[in-house]
Amino acid sequence: MAMRFRQLKLTSKYSVGVYRSKIHRRGLFCLRDFEAGEMVIEYSGEVIRSVLTDKREKFYNSKGIGCYMFRIDDNLVVDATMTGNAARFINHSCD
């Protein structure tokens, strides 16, 4: 699995790109067609407990920083705001 993620890190640079978005300031866009079920990019960042998310969001907002968090489960969230990769610009409501 580790080898798969290393390969994904290399190939994602040619598969997706961050560009200006009409919906938000930036968005992640496909640079090629994908197979159904194909892994495109890993959402990376700092894994934190859910109880910290509100506090961090308030801090980011007070500094004028966009907030990029992705909930894993009831207890854990990946905070990609400061340490994440391009995956944070994915529109998570896409089909």
Side-chain angles (χ1 to χ4, degrees), residues 81-95:
T81 305
M82 303 303 282
T83 60
N85 61 0
R88 69 180 177 245
F89 298 111
I90 293 172
N91 180 344
H92 298 291
S93 64
C94 292
D95 289 335

Side-chain angles (χ1 to χ4, degrees), residues 5-74:
F5 282 116
R6 263 181 282 184
Q7 181 67 26
L8 182 63
K9 191 173 185 178
L10 295 173
T11 60
S12 67
K13 293 176 184 177
Y14 306 103
S15 300
V16 294
V18 178
Y19 299 101
R20 182 179 298 267
S21 168
K22 293 178 183 176
I23 300 170
H24 299 291
R25 285 188 274 163
R26 292 186 211 139
L28 191 69
F29 292 85
C30 299
L31 300 177
R32 65 176 182 85
D33 291 334
F34 297 101
E35 302 274 330
E38 180 181 353
M39 189 177 287
V40 177
I41 189 170
E42 178 186 16
Y43 195 98
S44 66
E46 182 182 1
V47 178
I48 61 172
R49 292 177 291 136
S50 292
V51 296
L52 298 175
T53 58
D54 288 339
K55 184 176 182 178
R56 284 203 179 187
E57 186 173 6
K58 287 178 186 174
F59 172 76
Y60 295 146
N61 286 337
S62 74
K63 300 293 183 186
I65 301 171
C67 183
Y68 300 96
M69 296 190 198
F70 186 85
R71 180 172 297 285
I72 297 172
D73 58 25
D74 289 340

